[in-house]
Amino acid sequence: LGANDRIRIALVGCGNRGMYVSGLFAKNENARVAAYTDIYEDKFAAAAAKYSGARREKDIDSLLASDVDAVLIATPAFLHPEHFEKAVNARKHIFLEKPAGVDAKGCHRVLRAARRADPTKRISMDYQQRYGTEYRKAHAVVKSGELGAIKQIRAAWMGGGPAVVKGHSPAEEKIRNWFFYRELSGDILIEQDCHNIDVVNWFMDTHPVKVTGYGTQAIRKYGDIYDSLACTFQFADGTIFSYTANQFRTPGWTDVSEAFICEKGAVNVSRQGYTLWRGKGAPETAKTSYDITMDNVNQFIEGARTGKLENAALWGAESTLVAVMALQACTTGKEVTWDKVKPA
């Protein structure tokens, strides 16, 4: 691209997340939404109204065959492996919504495609925490060794769930409400809680080797996914990672964060900022007042334009596989090891 050229973004999947994140792309002066595709007319209409200068494409194949520079994949989670593979084959810059897939097979497919991807293209995943300013500062402190080694980890996603979509025909039910069906979303552990898992993998520079867990439908009876769960992970060095999640938080209270308890201090970090304890004395705090997805989007655009490349699908699929491992533990009631999900 020339110095003044804008990245031409193609949106695959014009649902809530796709329209939101593509809107962040549109805010960057170095990018423009040039094309979009979906399978429903109401979604096409929403995209046409928001991006009047963009081109409607009948499907992902025709979209990828066009002159777009980058593709934002925001389709239901079970389609991510197929659509990612197509985008790799088309040699586009890729911004993939998490998770990599809904099961080990899908994650392995993403990994195989990522390993043969064009090395001149940027591949990012929407694990926003890795790109957030305060997250990176907290990570730098922990990795500097100032606080000593990480000795225990606690993380949680105690929040609300998505609304049920209504007003469609029975034939469209599962796709319109794909999040609520395990075979399409991977349950809350894979579709949502992979965020916390990815942060822990990032800070630990590796993945857990085993996990036990339990899940239930405590309040929500719609679909077949959990609305609450608890898991205990262990790393190869013996470090314990305790995790809890739900989607029926008490109104007015929430906890979506990760805490790393180290030998000489501790840090609790979230999308709202961090609190850092260095032994005695008052803790240090830093606040984030915006959606850190913007950091990911901006760094993707800059990287695609200037050659600051990454292949995030490699570690993104690994984090998703840890969530797959945890879901297997919850559904079977047995301890599950990394050997059950690891790629060949």
Side-chain angles (χ1 to χ4, degrees):
L1 293 172
N4 297 318
D5 291 337
R6 290 192 294 170
I7 291 284
R8 293 165 294 190
I9 305 294
L11 170 61
V12 183
C14 304
N16 291 341
R17 187 63 185 175
M19 292 295 285
Y20 176 72
V21 177
S22 62
L24 299 182
F25 274 96
K27 289 181 179 181
N28 188 300
E29 63 180 5
N30 293 315
R32 67 180 179 89
V33 178
Y36 54 86
T37 191
D38 202 276
I39 62 172
Y40 292 124
E41 282 301 322
D42 59 305
K43 302 301 182 184
F44 274 121
K50 188 169 185 176
Y51 305 118
S52 58
R55 182 179 66 253
R56 169 177 171 155
E57 293 286 353
K58 65 178 182 178
D59 55 34
I60 186 174
D61 295 315
S62 63
L63 181 145
L64 291 172
S66 70
D67 62 353
V68 297
D69 303 302
V71 57
L72 163 58
I73 300 174
T75 47
F78 77 102
L79 291 171
H80 288 180
E82 175 188 349
H83 290 169
F84 177 76
E85 187 176 69
K86 286 177 179 286
V88 166
N89 292 343
R91 301 181 67 175
K92 305 294 185 183
H93 297 289
I94 303 168
F95 190 97
L96 176 66
E97 282 298 321
K98 53 78 201 153
V102 300
D103 53 25
K105 182 179 179 180
C107 292
H108 297 167
R109 185 176 179 181
V110 167
L111 281 170
R112 288 193 299 270
R115 288 168 182 157
R116 59 177 175 78
D118 184 342
T120 69
K121 303 301 181 183
R122 183 176 174 108
I123 297 175
S124 298
M125 285 188 68
D126 204 6
Y127 284 109
Q128 304 95 321
Q129 286 93 323
R130 292 210 186 207
Y131 304 90
T133 300
E134 266 56 66
Y135 261 101
R136 288 192 167 191
K137 289 179 181 177
H139 179 262
V141 170
V142 172
K143 301 314 292 183
S144 73
E146 174 189 344
L147 304 181
I150 297 171
K151 289 301 180 182
Q152 190 177 18
I153 304 163
R154 184 211 63 85
W157 192 298
M158 310 292 278
V164 175
V165 177
K166 299 179 180 179
H168 50 266
S169 70
E172 297 179 357
E173 163 57 20
K174 280 199 168 183
I175 297 298
R176 293 284 190 175
N177 284 301
W178 61 270
F179 180 87
F180 297 99
Y181 298 95
R182 186 174 292 160
E183 65 179 317
L184 305 183
S185 69
D187 214 295
I188 65 173
L189 252 169
I190 297 173
E191 204 285 331
Q192 184 179 76
D193 301 337
C194 61
H195 278 297
N196 302 106
I197 290 169
D198 181 65
V199 171
V200 173
N201 280 10
W202 177 33
F203 275 64
M204 289 292 288
D205 288 324
T206 188
H207 56 75
V209 295
K210 57 185 176 181
V211 59
T212 58
Y214 298 94
T216 188
Q217 285 187 322
I219 292 178
R220 182 174 60 208
K221 306 304 180 182
Y222 182 84
D224 64 358
I225 63 170
Y226 296 136
D227 66 359
S228 59
L229 57 88
C231 297
T232 301
F233 299 84
Q234 189 171 44
F235 287 83
D237 66 359
T239 302
I240 299 298
F241 162 28
S242 177
Y243 185 71
T244 53
N246 74 24
Q247 289 194 339
F248 56 83
R249 65 172 173 82
T250 301
W253 174 84
T254 189
D255 180 10
V256 181
S257 67
E258 301 83 28
F260 298 91
I261 299 88
C262 306
E263 293 171 308
K264 304 174 185 178
V267 60
N268 181 254
V269 62
S270 74
R271 300 184 191 198
Q272 285 71 52
Y274 66 77
T275 302
L276 173 64
W277 293 265
R278 293 183 171 93
K280 296 181 180 180
E284 172 189 326
T285 62
K287 300 296 183 182
T288 302
S289 59
Y290 62 94
D291 181 359
I292 60 175
T293 304
M294 196 75 240
D295 292 327
N296 193 2
V297 167
N298 288 341
Q299 289 171 50
F300 174 82
I301 295 168
E302 180 187 9
R305 294 183 71 249
T306 65
K308 295 179 181 179
L309 305 178
E310 67 172 354
N311 191 338
L314 298 173
W315 50 258
E318 180 180 337
S319 294
T320 307
L321 281 169
V322 175
V324 171
M325 180 174 70
L327 181 63
Q328 290 183 10
C330 290
T331 57
T332 64
K334 299 177 181 179
E335 180 180 84
V336 177
T337 65
W338 178 252
D339 288 340
K340 297 293 185 181
V341 300
K342 70 179 182 181

